[in-house]
């Protein structure tokens, strides 16, 4: 009997506390999960998520973007080197507060996904909960999508919805969405890692 194929190695990019990272790492521990969280990389030295990753037994690394004095591509090439040294197959953005250059997006095309706190294509960019409240929508939520050069414009893999309730403010709405993020991201990773939701010629092919 031939040995089982190795699971894809996932590198998670963070800038802060890493709550989505933790949900991904815990999901990946389950028997049969089709990916392994192998590295957590931060652009912020001392980010809280690094300690949380180490407590989970995951390798960590830091590439401080400030050391590159605004040269975004040089910063990304340094990150890419760390990812390659750790034999990373898939890159997941989880609260990573840097916009990628086209060079990095092309380098990881079809192998990089992001979670965004809105029902894309609605409310791209930042302050999505404020945008939702100001727009008066009755539903809000989160989306996992492939990363493409245009911000928050990649094909959506999975979404989760929450109601917008009377009296909601940004904090209460954000908290409700975050619960769904923690559930949604591992499900989307499983689809990508298993090949069930592949990016082909700019669209998602379901298998």
């Amino acid at each position: 009997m031939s040995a089982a194929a190795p699971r894809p190695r996932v590198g998670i990019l963070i800038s802060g506390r890493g709550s989505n990272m933790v949900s991904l790492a815990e999901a990946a521990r389950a028997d049969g999960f089709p990916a392994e969280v192998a590295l957590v990389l931060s652009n912020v030295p001392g980010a809280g998520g690094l300690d949380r990753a180490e407590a989970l037994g995951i390798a960590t690394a830091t590439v401080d973007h400030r050391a590159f004095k605004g040269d975004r591509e040089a910063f990304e090439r340094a990150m890419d080197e760390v990812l390659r040294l750790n034999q990373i197959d898939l890159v997941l953005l989880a609260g990573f507060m840097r916009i990628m250059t086209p060079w990095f997006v092309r380098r990881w095309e079809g192998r990089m996904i992001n979670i965004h706190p809105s029902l894309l294509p609605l409310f791209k960019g930042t302050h999505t909960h404020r945008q939702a409240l100001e727009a008066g929508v009755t539903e809000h939520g989160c989306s996992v999508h492939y990363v493409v050069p245009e911000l928050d414009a990649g094909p959506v893999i999975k979404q989760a919805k929450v109601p917008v309730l009377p009296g909601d403010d940004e904090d209460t709405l954000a908290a409700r969405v975050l619960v769904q993020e923690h559930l949604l991201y591992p499900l989307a990773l499983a689809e990508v890692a298993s090949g069930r939701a592949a990016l082909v010629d700019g669209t998602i092919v379901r298998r």
Side-chain angles (χ1 to χ4, degrees):
M1 182 180 294
S2 61
R7 297 185 296 167
R9 290 170 59 83
V10 172
I12 303 177
L13 274 52
I14 66 169
S15 296
R17 61 187 179 178
S19 69
N20 269 309
M21 175 273 296
V22 171
S23 70
L24 290 161
E26 290 178 343
R29 289 178 162 181
D31 290 342
F33 194 86
E36 170 195 1
V37 176
L39 177 70
V40 173
L41 188 157
S42 179
N43 66 309
V44 178
L50 295 172
D51 288 340
R52 299 175 79 177
E54 289 172 0
L56 291 166
I58 302 168
T60 63
T62 302
V63 179
D64 187 348
H65 67 276
R66 296 171 298 184
F68 295 87
K69 304 185 186 305
D71 188 336
R72 293 166 59 203
E73 187 171 313
F75 160 66
E76 291 173 353
R77 287 184 180 276
M79 282 201 309
D80 185 68
E81 177 71 11
V82 173
L83 294 168
R84 288 191 294 110
L85 287 173
N86 283 273
Q87 299 178 302
I88 297 304
D89 301 303
L90 298 171
V91 173
L92 273 64
L93 309 182
F96 187 69
M97 304 306 291
R98 306 290 298 174
I99 296 175
M100 302 300 191
T101 67
W103 177 84
F104 193 84
V105 173
R106 285 193 297 269
R107 172 75 177 83
W108 290 94
E109 183 177 7
R111 297 181 295 147
M112 181 162 55
I113 63 177
N114 179 51
I115 190 159
H116 181 75
S118 81
L119 296 174
L120 292 172
L122 297 176
F123 314 131
K124 297 178 180 180
T126 59
H127 305 298
T128 59
H129 310 305
R130 183 187 307 168
Q131 292 185 60
L133 291 169
E134 290 176 348
V137 296
T138 58
E139 283 188 326
H140 190 41
C142 50
S143 308
V144 179
H145 64 96
Y146 277 102
V147 177
V148 299
E150 184 183 347
L151 182 65
D152 299 330
V156 171
I157 301 161
K158 290 188 81 67
Q159 291 183 321
K161 296 179 180 179
V162 302
V164 179
L165 301 178
D168 263 338
D169 59 21
E170 287 183 61
D171 291 337
T172 58
L173 187 54
R176 197 176 306 117
V177 170
L178 187 62
V179 170
Q180 294 304 313
E181 289 183 32
H182 292 167
L183 298 172
L184 185 71
Y185 214 173
L187 295 175
L189 170 58
E191 290 198 3
V192 170
S194 64
R196 299 198 310 270
L199 184 65
V200 178
D201 296 329
T203 61
I204 293 178
V205 174
R206 305 278 179 182
R207 299 188 173 101

